[in-house]
Amino acid sequence: MNENELAGLLESLKRMGSDDLSVEVKESAMTLSRDVWETVSAFANTAGGIIVLGVSERAGFVPVANFETEKVLNQFVAGMGDAGGRGKLANPPKYTIERVELQGTVVLVITIEELDPSSKPCYVIERGAQGGSYKRIDDKDVPLSSTEVLALASYGRATPSDRDAVPGTSVGDLDESLVDRTIERAYSLTPRAMRGATDKKTKMERLNLLDFQGNVTKAGLLAAGVYPQQFYPKLFIDVAVHAGTQKGAAGPLRFMDRTVCEGTLGEMISDTVAAVAKNLRRTSTVQGISRIDSLEIPEEVLREAVANAVIHREYGDRFCGQSIAVDVFDDRIEVTNPGGLYGGKTRESLFDGSSRCRNATLVKLMSIVPLPDGAGSPAEGNGSGIPMMLDAMRAHGLAEPLFCPGFDRFKVVLYRSKIEPVDHGGDLIMTALKRYGELGTRELAERTGLTVSQVRARVNALIEQGELEPTAPLTSRNRKYRLSERVE
């Protein structure tokens, strides 16, 4: 990075008034503080980033006086464990350091690489103990939750949870009719699994509906139970329809529509598709003499997104208290499930057509169990789901799905068609200021439900339109915003 590139980067931060998701500025005139290592951990665990040492955010993103470049550089290298001693981090990331002259002062630009998933998380070590592990959200380094640390630490490690026996269950907790239809399908789909199985109990064991002691497995209960939520109350799908493009925009009403989908996994998938479909627009096309109605988002794409969330979610005991969320907004649908990427999958390899099975027993079983609406089986297990979703969305002239892997959850965003995007963010900011008078960026974020970055973008636009005015200079920590006189 040269001086012009660095100056341009800092100027963009100055306009926003703070650091951002991928850039952190630290003064560190003579000594590195602990929060530098928190930022390294956050960048390493999230998506990488740049740390600029020797620049003051408080003074308007300019070099600090008397910055001791070489001393600070040596402290950083030692802290990363590259000077022969014990470093400040466990699982440190790769990095590069550049000396860049800025307004006559040589500052340090450090590029932190994201860790390979199998090496996460990166911990800050304090006095020989783990000082915590962090993630990057907007311009903040946020401690990872216990489930996030667990999800990262267990990445790629096989889990037997879907084959565990469910305490307190018996064969009577399985839907006999569904079990019979599943066994019947198994004879045509996996005939070797049924070879030599002469009694029903043996057949159920072969399909892993039961373990070899005759106990109902977690996979069996979820796929063919009478009412699995009797044993796992939070294993449902929460479908919420929101007004606008953000949660909470409907005010006290909160939701325009809401459905809790329970039952077997197949029932949950079918009911969720139906609950979302009734809140989507339908389009009509004429083919020959026939008129064909279809959803604005292809139903097969919606079904695949929901089925993936159900089948590939984390079913370990520490995650069973979390439900799957399907949020319907004016411009998109978000499907979020507990459990991050698994088995070597990365952001880059999501689209390669390969399949990884966190719940191998469940995936196999769900490829046989029939769906209640006659739509076949919810799991194919051959890695064709994401490529199909991409192709179907393109074929309908829609934006490609957005896949957002997190530490302990996975979100898929499906963008809707025939909807003019409506930005309610500016209205929410104006309403908040009418009520409270003057508010800062973070106060606006708290009261509107927008992110800090979203607030900044909308505030800047409203200032240009003459709707708002700032109460202090851009570099002031006391800067707030209020309605302009002509609006009041």
Side-chain angles (χ1 to χ4, degrees), residues 21-32:
L21 180 67
S22 58
V23 181
E24 178 74 23
V25 170
K26 304 284 189 185
E27 294 188 11
S28 299
M30 292 180 290
T31 304
L32 288 174

Side-chain angles (χ1 to χ4, degrees), residues 23 33 68 81 120 160 216 227 242 246 288 314 321 338 372 381 414 429 465:
V23 181
S33 59
E68 298 191 19
K120 294 178 181 178
V216 177
Y227 183 58
H242 306 271
Q246 298 292 333
E314 174 62 69
L414 304 175
I429 289 172
Q465 296 166 15

Side-chain angles (χ1 to χ4, degrees), residues 406-428:
F407 298 108
D408 63 345
R409 62 193 60 248
F410 190 94
K411 180 169 70 177
V412 178
V413 182
L414 304 175
Y415 293 100
R416 300 173 64 177
S417 68
K418 309 298 183 184
I419 297 289
E420 290 295 328
V422 178
D423 184 2
H424 298 271
D427 294 336
L428 293 173

Side-chain angles (χ1 to χ4, degrees), residues 101-154:
E101 184 172 342
L102 182 68
Q103 301 177 17
T105 298
V106 177
V107 302
L108 298 175
V109 178
I110 303 172
T111 301
I112 305 297
E113 296 186 19
E114 180 185 359
L115 280 172
D116 180 88
S118 61
S119 300
K120 294 178 181 178
C122 173
Y123 288 96
V124 179
I125 300 175
E126 192 72 14
R127 296 189 179 92
Q130 293 177 352
S133 192
Y134 297 80
K135 62 182 176 182
R136 190 73 171 181
I137 298 180
D138 198 54
D139 63 339
K140 297 298 181 184
D141 304 321
V142 180
L144 294 177
S145 68
S146 59
T147 55
E148 288 173 327
V149 172
L150 175 67
L152 288 175
S154 61

Side-chain angles (χ1 to χ4, degrees), residues 195-210:
R195 183 183 295 170
T198 56
D199 61 275
K200 188 172 181 177
K201 179 177 179 294
T202 302
K203 295 172 183 177
M204 294 171 71
E205 291 174 354
R206 294 281 181 87
L207 295 176
N208 290 307
L209 292 162
L210 305 177

